[in-house]
Amino acid sequence: MTMWGWVALAVFIVFIIILYLLSPLISPPPLKLRDAHVLVTGGSSGIGKALAIQAVKQGARVTLVARNEKKLEEAKQEVTTYVTSQDKTQRVHTVSVDLSSDYPSVEKAFQEAEKTLGAVDFLINCAGTSVAGRFEDLSISDFKKMIDINYMSAVHATRAIVPAMKARGQGRIVFVSSQAGQIGLFGFTAYSASKFALRGLAEALQMEVKPYNIYLTLAFPPDTDTSGYREEQKTKPLETKLISETSGLLTAENVATVILSDTVVGKFFSSISLDGIMLSNLTCGFSPVTSLMEATQQVVTMGLFRIISLFYLAHFERIIYRCKLQRDSEAGSKKQS
Ligand SMILES: NC(=O)c1ccc[n+]([C@@H]2O[C@H](COP(=O)([O-])OP(=O)(O)OC[C@H]3O[C@@H](n4cnc5c(N)ncnc54)[C@H](OP(=O)(O)O)[C@@H]3O)[C@@H](O)[C@H]2O)c1
C-alpha cells in the first residue's frame, strides 16, 4: 500500500473511533431490568414466554398476559422457577384477557396488574398469530383477525400503559413484528399487512413519546421454533415454506435474548441474524435514530444491500415460478386421469 493508502486507512479508523465514542450522545440511557415491572403480552407461550424468563433471570417482576388461563398458570410455574431474588418482591403475575376484543376490558386488566406489581416499566407487545395462504384462499375474516390480534391488541395494550409512562417520564415499549413486517412475502398478504401496521404505529408513537424519555423497540424475528410457528406450518403454501427457509429457524431463547438487550438500550430496530440486519438497514427509511454508528452503517451499506436484495428477489421469483409449473402439471395429469 502507498503512503496515501495508509493515511486514508488511518483517517477511516480514527473516524470510526470518533463515531463510536460520540454514539452514546444520542442514545437513550439504558433502563435496568432489575426491580422493573415487565408486562409481556403473549407471555404464556413461545417468544413471549422466553422474554418473560429472560426478564425474570435479570431480576424483573413479570406479568404474563394471554387468554387461556390453564396455559398462563403453567407458564407462571415455569417462569417462577427462574426467580433470582431471595425476598418476596420478585413475583410473576398472570392476567387473562382477550387483547383484541374491547379496550375497556384491557384497560381494567392492566390496572389490576399495576395494582399487583406496580407501574409497568417495560411493555412487551408479543401476543400475535399468523395465517398463511394464497390471497384468494384466505377468508375476509382472516384479514380482520390478523389486524385485530396482531395490531389492535398492541394498540389496546399500549394505550392502557402510555399515559402512566408519560407521567413518570420513563418507559420502554416493544412491538414484536416479524421479517414479514419488513418485506411482503408470498402467502402472507394478511399477516404481513398486520405486521407492517405495527411499524407505522411505532414510528409515529416514538416521535410523540421521546420527549417523555420513553423509547420504542420494533423487533423483526425470523422463523422461530414455537408452537405458533408449528401451527402455521400446517397451512403454509409450498412457496412460503421455501422462501422462509432461506433465513433458517431460530430458538425462542435466542430471539428473546436479542430483543431484550436491544430494548434495555432503547434501540429502535431489533434484528436477528445477518439477513435480519441486512433487512433493517435496507428498510430503515425515515426511522428514528438511536445510535450514530447505526445511522452511519445504514448510510454506507444501503446501496450494497439493495444489490444483494435483487439476487434474493430473483431467487424467490424462481421458487414461485417452479411451484406454479409443478402445480400446473399436477392439475394437468389429474384432468387426464
Ligand atoms: N414464531 C415465529 O416464527 C415468529 C416469527 C416472527 C414473528 N413472530 C411473532 O412473535 C409473536 C409471538 O409468536 P410465537 O410464535 O411465540 O406465538 P405463540 O407461541 O403462538 O404464542 C402466542 C401468544 O399470544 C397469546 N395470544 C394470542 N392471541 C391473543 C389475544 N387475542 N389476546 C391475548 N393473548 C393472545 C397466546 O396465548 P392465548 O392463545 O392463550 O391467548 C400466546 O401466549 C407473534 O406476534 C408472532 O407474530 C413469530
Side-chain angles (χ1 to χ4, degrees):
M1 199 161 28
T2 64
M3 191 185 79
W4 287 115
W6 285 110
V7 170
L9 182 66
V11 169
F12 177 72
I13 291 171
V14 170
F15 174 69
I16 296 294
I17 292 172
I18 291 173
L19 263 185
Y20 181 75
L21 294 175
L22 289 180
S23 220
L25 290 179
I26 64 156
S27 301
L31 190 59
K32 281 194 208 135
L33 282 163
R34 180 153 299 284
D35 298 327
H37 179 186
V38 179
L39 187 147
V40 189
T41 76
S44 68
S45 169
I47 299 173
K49 189 169 74 180
L51 280 160
I53 290 172
Q54 303 271 349
V56 161
K57 278 184 180 173
Q58 293 184 52
R61 289 164 277 137
V62 171
T63 298
L64 310 173
V65 182
R67 291 164 303 185
N68 185 309
E69 289 186 23
K70 186 167 171 281
K71 266 172 56 189
L72 270 171
E73 193 45 44
E74 285 165 6
K76 178 180 171 175
Q77 302 294 332
E78 187 182 341
V79 176
T80 306
T81 60
Y82 294 92
V83 165
T84 52
S85 163
Q86 295 303 320
D87 67 45
K88 294 272 187 290
T89 52
Q90 199 192 2
R91 285 164 53 198
V92 180
H93 177 61
T94 59
V95 168
S96 167
V97 66
D98 181 350
L99 291 160
S100 66
S101 64
D102 60 312
Y103 175 66
S105 326
V106 177
E107 190 183 32
K108 190 162 163 265
F110 280 30
Q111 278 167 356
E112 184 212 312
E114 293 205 300
K115 261 191 213 145
T116 311
L117 291 189
V120 171
D121 302 289
F122 290 75
L123 165 64
I124 304 184
N125 288 294
C126 191
T129 187
S130 74
V131 57
R134 283 180 299 175
F135 180 70
E136 66 277 21
D137 297 334
L138 295 172
S139 66
I140 296 301
S141 63
D142 284 330
F143 287 84
K144 288 201 172 119
K145 186 175 148 198
M146 288 298 98
I147 291 294
D148 283 345
I149 298 185
N150 294 340
Y151 176 70
M152 286 311 297
S153 289
V155 172
H156 289 155
T158 307
R159 181 68 181 75
I161 294 296
V162 157
M165 275 189 178
K166 278 174 94 168
R168 288 169 41 244
Q170 167 176 297
R172 292 283 196 270
I173 300 169
V174 180
F175 294 110
V176 178
S177 176
S178 161
Q179 283 192 349
Q182 296 178 292
I183 47 173
L185 291 175
F186 189 109
F188 280 144
T189 48
Y191 179 66
S192 274
S194 68
K195 292 294 188 179
F196 266 74
L198 288 175
R199 174 163 181 167
L201 171 66
E203 285 196 8
L205 184 61
Q206 180 61 89
M207 251 191 210
E208 288 189 21
V209 298
K210 189 174 172 186
Y212 298 87
N213 191 28
I214 300 169
Y215 287 90
L216 271 66
T217 295
L218 187 57
F220 300 110
D223 278 351
T224 308
D225 192 9
T226 64
S227 53
Y229 169 80
R230 288 186 287 276
E231 197 53 40
E232 178 194 89
Q233 290 300 98
K234 294 178 187 164
T235 59
K236 251 185 189 173
L238 180 60
E239 290 89 335
T240 319
K241 274 190 191 151
L242 295 173
I243 289 171
S244 307
E245 271 170 22
T246 50
S247 47
L249 184 64
L250 297 190
T251 64
E253 291 69 30
N254 267 340
V255 171
T257 304
V258 176
I259 295 178
L260 212 54
S261 64
D262 286 343
T263 304
V264 165
V265 297
K267 217 172 153 195
F268 187 71
F269 281 159
S270 176
S271 308
I272 299 135
S273 76
L274 272 179
D275 284 347
I277 292 166
M278 183 184 85
L279 269 179
S280 290
N281 279 280
L282 191 55
T283 60
C284 64
F286 229 82
S287 59
V289 183
T290 47
S291 139
L292 283 177
M293 278 295 275
E294 190 185 49
T296 311
Q297 186 198 324
Q298 288 164 348
V299 171
V300 173
T301 58
M302 213 183 235
L304 171 69
F305 286 154
R306 177 58 179 153
I307 295 171
I308 298 174
S309 80
L310 297 177
F311 288 96
Y312 271 91
L313 277 173
H315 175 56
F316 295 165
E317 278 176 16
R318 267 199 305 276
I319 289 175
I320 293 161
Y321 186 67
R322 268 196 237 121
C323 289
K324 181 179 180 301
L325 283 182
Q326 190 182 324
R327 273 208 193 89
D328 289 349
S329 91
E330 280 166 9
S333 37
K334 256 189 207 154
K335 255 188 203 164
Q336 277 174 359
S337 56

